Amino acid sequence: MFKHVFLTGPPGVGKTTLVQKACEALVSSGVEVEGFYTEEVREGGRRVGFDVITLTGERGHLSRIRDVGETSHGRREYRVGQYVVDLPSFENIALPLFRNIGAAAGGTRKVFVIDEIGKMELFSQSFIRAVRQTFESSSCIILGTIPIPKGKPLGLVEEVRSRRDVKVFTVSKENRNSILQDITATLLECLKCST
């Protein structure tokens, strides 16, 4: 029996859009939804980084392209390709959400969104711990996204992918417009079975 739903697929295929649409569908069915998603930040048509945004609209930097002349002021730098990860900003926005998970009103189940568990987010040891604890807690169902396997496996990503209680949907250009119903139905099924 599945307890959590994760989407995977190539970058830019529409995983985050599907997560947002699934959240809208859940909320309109009366389900409590919390968590965060990541969004591209563009300036003049060029992608300059990513922001982390809570479902209540709080926003912070996840990463930005660092110009060659800029220095890191002696701080340790976490990089993914051309992006420098803003760990303090990410942790300030994302980590408090995990602390509130258990506080569902009146014992109702809720869906907790983690978009995404990827290279940038995994620089945070606190985030890794929080995700593992959330899987162990029974108070919520996780709707999340993970990258497709590429290069060196990412520990937590493979852990999620191989869990028996996780249903993984692979999003492609071909199915991204028709898969939303399956995702939402699976989440509602998870909610039903867990109450």
Side-chain angles (χ1 to χ4, degrees):
M1 196 63 241
F2 298 117
K3 226 185 106 177
H4 308 290
V5 174
F6 274 78
L7 311 184
T8 190
V13 78
K15 296 183 295 290
T16 297
T17 304
L18 278 167
V19 165
Q20 290 168 321
K21 287 180 175 170
C23 287
E24 287 165 21
L26 290 168
V27 167
S28 66
S29 308
V31 176
E32 200 181 330
V33 182
E34 278 182 22
F36 69 91
Y37 61 93
T38 51
E39 189 173 85
E40 279 189 358
V41 177
R42 291 184 167 275
E43 280 172 16
R46 179 179 93 120
R47 186 165 75 187
V48 295
F50 294 91
D51 275 358
V52 57
I53 303 162
T54 68
L55 294 182
T56 54
E58 228 185 312
R59 174 187 283 263
H61 288 190
L62 172 58
S63 66
R64 288 294 183 270
I65 292 175
R66 161 100 40 172
D67 294 323
V68 181
E70 279 185 69
T71 62
S72 64
H73 306 298
R75 282 201 315 260
R76 172 147 184 221
E77 223 172 61
Y78 298 97
R79 301 183 77 96
V80 175
Q82 61 185 346
Y83 300 101
V84 175
V85 179
D86 187 339
L87 216 51
S89 167
F90 169 67
E91 290 183 336
N92 284 342
I93 298 280
L95 293 180
L97 299 169
F98 286 94
R99 287 187 208 112
N100 302 331
I101 289 176
T108 54
R109 304 292 300 225
K110 65 171 106 172
V111 173
F112 189 68
V113 175
I114 306 175
D115 171 37
E116 88 173 341
I117 299 174
K119 265 187 189 156
M120 293 186 186
E121 296 81 2
L122 293 179
F123 283 120
S124 167
Q125 291 305 310
S126 305
F127 173 71
I128 293 172
R129 272 195 304 277
V131 170
R132 285 188 175 131
Q133 282 166 350
T134 306
F135 270 112
E136 298 319 312
S137 129
S138 58
S139 64
C140 69
I141 280 144
I142 301 172
L143 167 60
T145 63
I146 50 176
I148 49 172
K150 190 180 96 191
K152 194 171 142 251
L154 302 168
L156 186 60
V157 172
E158 295 315 310
E159 235 174 84
V160 169
R161 195 186 316 279
S162 60
R163 285 182 69 102
R164 285 203 186 100
D165 60 353
V166 170
K167 166 84 173 143
V168 178
F169 287 95
T170 301
V171 181
S172 65
K173 285 190 170 74
E174 294 72 40
N175 73 4
R176 66 180 173 197
N177 296 323
S178 57
I179 198 172
L180 177 64
Q181 211 172 347
D182 293 343
I183 294 166
T184 312
T186 305
L187 283 163
L188 290 169
E189 197 55 40
C190 292
L191 283 160
K192 256 204 300 262
C193 294
S194 63
T195 46

